[in-house]
mmCIF file of all heavy atoms in Angstrom:
data_model
loop_
_atom_site.group_PDB
_atom_site.id
_atom_site.type_symbol
_atom_site.label_atom_id
_atom_site.label_comp_id
_atom_site.label_asym_id
_atom_site.label_seq_id
_atom_site.Cartn_x
_atom_site.Cartn_y
_atom_site.Cartn_z
ATOM 1 N N PRO A 12 152.311 268.967 109.554
ATOM 2 C CA PRO A 12 153.571 269.216 110.253
ATOM 3 C C PRO A 12 153.520 268.623 111.663
ATOM 4 O O PRO A 12 152.452 268.550 112.272
ATOM 5 C CB PRO A 12 153.667 270.742 110.309
ATOM 6 C CG PRO A 12 152.334 271.255 109.946
ATOM 7 C CD PRO A 12 151.582 270.170 109.251
ATOM 8 N N VAL A 13 154.643 268.199 112.162
ATOM 9 C CA VAL A 13 154.703 267.591 113.492
ATOM 10 C C VAL A 13 154.519 268.694 114.538
ATOM 11 O O VAL A 13 155.291 269.653 114.582
ATOM 12 C CB VAL A 13 156.051 266.874 113.715
ATOM 13 C CG1 VAL A 13 156.141 266.305 115.117
ATOM 14 C CG2 VAL A 13 156.243 265.783 112.673
ATOM 15 N N ARG A 21 158.704 263.251 122.261
ATOM 16 C CA ARG A 21 159.766 262.384 121.708
ATOM 17 C C ARG A 21 161.116 262.700 122.334
ATOM 18 O O ARG A 21 161.918 261.797 122.602
ATOM 19 C CB ARG A 21 159.851 262.565 120.196
ATOM 20 C CG ARG A 21 158.718 261.917 119.455
ATOM 21 C CD ARG A 21 158.843 262.175 117.980
ATOM 22 N NE ARG A 21 157.803 261.503 117.224
ATOM 23 C CZ ARG A 21 157.545 261.733 115.954
ATOM 24 N NH1 ARG A 21 158.270 262.603 115.268
ATOM 25 N NH2 ARG A 21 156.579 261.083 115.344
ATOM 26 N N LEU A 25 163.546 260.205 124.508
ATOM 27 C CA LEU A 25 164.961 259.999 124.193
ATOM 28 C C LEU A 25 165.846 260.289 125.399
ATOM 29 O O LEU A 25 166.785 259.539 125.684
ATOM 30 C CB LEU A 25 165.370 260.875 123.005
ATOM 31 C CG LEU A 25 166.805 260.741 122.538
ATOM 32 C CD1 LEU A 25 167.061 259.329 122.024
ATOM 33 C CD2 LEU A 25 167.109 261.748 121.445
ATOM 34 N N VAL A 26 165.541 261.364 126.114
ATOM 35 C CA VAL A 26 166.326 261.712 127.306
ATOM 36 C C VAL A 26 166.238 260.599 128.340
ATOM 37 O O VAL A 26 167.257 260.176 128.905
ATOM 38 C CB VAL A 26 165.831 263.059 127.902
ATOM 39 C CG1 VAL A 26 166.403 263.293 129.293
ATOM 40 C CG2 VAL A 26 166.189 264.212 126.980
ATOM 41 N N GLN A 28 165.427 257.438 127.827
ATOM 42 C CA GLN A 28 166.080 256.222 127.335
ATOM 43 C C GLN A 28 167.595 256.324 127.487
ATOM 44 O O GLN A 28 168.258 255.357 127.865
ATOM 45 C CB GLN A 28 165.721 255.979 125.873
ATOM 46 C CG GLN A 28 164.322 255.467 125.676
ATOM 47 C CD GLN A 28 163.964 255.323 124.206
ATOM 48 O OE1 GLN A 28 164.461 256.063 123.361
ATOM 49 N NE2 GLN A 28 163.077 254.380 123.907
ATOM 50 N N GLU A 39 155.538 255.489 130.307
ATOM 51 C CA GLU A 39 154.775 256.738 130.420
ATOM 52 C C GLU A 39 155.164 257.702 129.289
ATOM 53 O O GLU A 39 154.310 258.394 128.734
ATOM 54 C CB GLU A 39 154.999 257.386 131.779
ATOM 55 C CG GLU A 39 154.335 256.638 132.924
ATOM 56 C CD GLU A 39 154.705 257.192 134.285
ATOM 57 O OE1 GLU A 39 155.344 258.267 134.352
ATOM 58 O OE2 GLU A 39 154.348 256.539 135.289
ATOM 59 N N ASP A 46 149.755 259.646 122.763
ATOM 60 C CA ASP A 46 148.633 260.545 123.045
ATOM 61 C C ASP A 46 148.773 261.867 122.293
ATOM 62 O O ASP A 46 147.804 262.369 121.730
ATOM 63 C CB ASP A 46 148.513 260.814 124.545
ATOM 64 C CG ASP A 46 148.039 259.601 125.331
ATOM 65 O OD1 ASP A 46 147.533 258.635 124.707
ATOM 66 O OD2 ASP A 46 148.187 259.611 126.571
ATOM 67 N N ALA A 51 146.956 265.391 117.978
ATOM 68 C CA ALA A 51 147.324 266.216 116.828
ATOM 69 C C ALA A 51 146.629 265.729 115.562
ATOM 70 O O ALA A 51 146.133 266.530 114.765
ATOM 71 C CB ALA A 51 148.841 266.207 116.642
ATOM 72 N N GLN A 55 143.810 267.733 113.352
ATOM 73 C CA GLN A 55 144.017 267.947 111.922
ATOM 74 C C GLN A 55 142.823 267.431 111.126
ATOM 75 O O GLN A 55 142.378 268.078 110.181
ATOM 76 C CB GLN A 55 145.299 267.259 111.457
ATOM 77 C CG GLN A 55 145.652 267.509 110.029
ATOM 78 C CD GLN A 55 146.018 268.957 109.748
ATOM 79 O OE1 GLN A 55 146.405 269.688 110.639
ATOM 80 N NE2 GLN A 55 145.879 269.385 108.522
ATOM 81 N N ALA A 62 137.122 272.617 106.925
ATOM 82 C CA ALA A 62 137.600 273.437 105.810
ATOM 83 C C ALA A 62 136.973 273.016 104.491
ATOM 84 O O ALA A 62 136.682 273.857 103.639
ATOM 85 C CB ALA A 62 139.120 273.359 105.708
ATOM 86 N N LEU A 67 128.472 263.397 100.718
ATOM 87 C CA LEU A 67 128.668 261.966 100.900
ATOM 88 C C LEU A 67 128.211 261.186 99.669
ATOM 89 O O LEU A 67 128.711 260.112 99.389
ATOM 90 C CB LEU A 67 127.924 261.476 102.137
ATOM 91 C CG LEU A 67 128.412 262.058 103.447
ATOM 92 C CD1 LEU A 67 127.542 261.554 104.593
ATOM 93 C CD2 LEU A 67 129.851 261.652 103.700
ATOM 94 N N VAL A 70 125.261 262.728 93.219
ATOM 95 C CA VAL A 70 124.140 262.313 92.390
ATOM 96 C C VAL A 70 124.156 263.139 91.098
ATOM 97 O O VAL A 70 124.190 264.351 91.125
ATOM 98 C CB VAL A 70 122.790 262.519 93.103
ATOM 99 C CG1 VAL A 70 121.636 262.118 92.214
ATOM 100 C CG2 VAL A 70 122.787 261.752 94.403
#
Side-chain angles (χ1 to χ4, degrees):
V13 177
R21 286 178 177 168
L25 182 63
V26 167
Q28 285 176 330
E39 289 173 9
D46 290 345
Q55 184 66 23
L67 296 177
V70 178

